[in-house]
Amino acid sequence: MKKQLRGKLVLGALLLLGLGGCGSEAGSNGVIVNPPVTGPVPDMSIDACFTMTTSLGEVGLGIDSLHTPQSAANFIGYVDDGFYDGTLIHRVIHNFIIQGGGFTSGMVAKPGGAPISNEARVGFSNLRGTLAMARGRQSDSATSQFFINILDNPQLDYSASSPGYAVFGKVLFGMEVVDQIGIVATTRVGEYSDVPLEEVVIERIAPSECPIVED
C-alpha cells in the first residue's frame, strides 16, 4: 500500500506537468507557501454540458462556469472554435489520468491560445471522473489541454506546497469509455511518453443539453 501511494505521489509530482508555480511565496526553506483556502468548498454547479465523441466512444462532460469562470470560458471558447475536433487523447497514465487537447495525428503539437489563471484555489478536488486543466510548471500556464482523473488524485489539489491543478467539471456519462482509454497500451514517441500505441482521436466536442437536476 505504501509503495502504491508513493508511486501515485511520484506520478502526480513528475509525470503530469510539474508542480512548480508562480504567484506563490517561497518560504526560507524553498517550499512554496500558498495562502489557505478560506471558507467551505462550494458544491460543483454544472451549467454547461458537452459530448466528447472519441474513436472509442462518447463521454459527457459537465462544466462549472459559476465557480471556475476562467477555466470554463477557456474550454467553451476552444469548443466553439472547433479547436478540439481531430485532436488526440495523447497521454494515458494507467490508474491516473487521460489527457488531451494539444496534439493532432502523429503527435503534431497544436498550440493553444493565451494562458489562463489557475483556479485550483476554489477547492474542487481531483477525484475520479473530474475534469481539470493541464498546465506547465508555472501555475498560470494552462491553455487548451485538459485531463480526466481515472482515480482519486488528491495529490494534484491546491495545497500549502502546490498551486494544484484546477478542476472545472466532471464526467456526466461514459466513464466506462474513459476507463477503456485508460488501459490502452502506450509507447514513447520522440520526447513524449505515455502516448497511446494506437491513436485515440477526439473526433468532436459539441454542446449538449445538461441533465435536469430535481430538487
Side-chain angles (χ1 to χ4, degrees):
M1 181 64 71
K2 289 183 178 179
K3 184 176 181 181
Q4 290 177 342
L5 177 59
R6 185 163 57 249
K8 286 190 68 177
L9 291 172
V10 170
L11 284 172
L14 300 178
L15 294 182
L16 188 55
L17 281 173
L19 293 181
C22 62
S24 302
E25 297 182 4
S28 59
N29 60 359
V31 176
I32 295 171
V33 178
N34 290 311
V37 175
T38 57
V41 176
D43 292 331
M44 188 176 289
S45 174
I46 299 302
D47 45 35
C49 297
F50 303 86
T51 297
M52 179 173 72
T53 303
T54 78
S55 52
L56 292 181
E58 292 187 344
V59 180
L61 303 174
I63 307 300
D64 184 338
S65 62
L66 176 63
H67 300 106
T68 52
Q70 290 192 56
S71 301
N74 180 70
F75 182 83
I76 292 170
Y78 283 115
V79 170
D80 289 345
D81 290 342
F83 179 93
Y84 292 126
D85 301 353
T87 59
L88 303 176
I89 299 294
H90 65 270
R91 194 176 201 184
V92 171
I93 304 179
H94 300 163
N95 293 320
F96 189 40
I97 57 99
I98 66 171
Q99 182 174 327
F103 291 83
T104 57
S105 182
M107 287 299 290
V108 176
K110 186 173 185 178
I116 62 172
S117 297
N118 186 346
E119 295 179 306
R121 195 169 181 272
V122 169
F124 293 147
S125 184
N126 283 269
L127 301 177
R128 170 174 163 79
T130 52
L131 175 67
M133 293 303 304
R135 60 169 176 82
R137 288 189 175 276
Q138 297 299 315
S139 175
D140 301 327
S141 60
T143 58
S144 65
Q145 294 189 40
F146 59 88
F147 64 92
I148 297 173
N149 288 288
I150 296 174
L151 298 181
D152 291 351
N153 293 310
Q155 71 274 21
L156 301 182
D157 295 350
Y158 176 95
S159 70
S161 60
S162 169
Y165 293 82
V167 170
F168 66 102
K170 63 182 180 180
V171 172
L172 300 178
F173 65 83
M175 195 62 198
E176 70 279 2
V177 176
V178 175
D179 289 337
Q180 183 180 1
I181 296 171
I183 60 173
V184 299
T186 61
T187 187
R188 187 173 186 88
V189 178
E191 62 182 300
Y192 304 110
S193 58
D194 307 302
V195 178
L197 193 59
E198 295 187 14
E199 291 185 345
V200 180
V201 182
I202 300 174
E203 297 171 354
R204 187 185 184 202
I205 300 182
S208 61
E209 292 292 326
C210 286
I212 297 174
V213 178
E214 298 181 358
D215 295 332

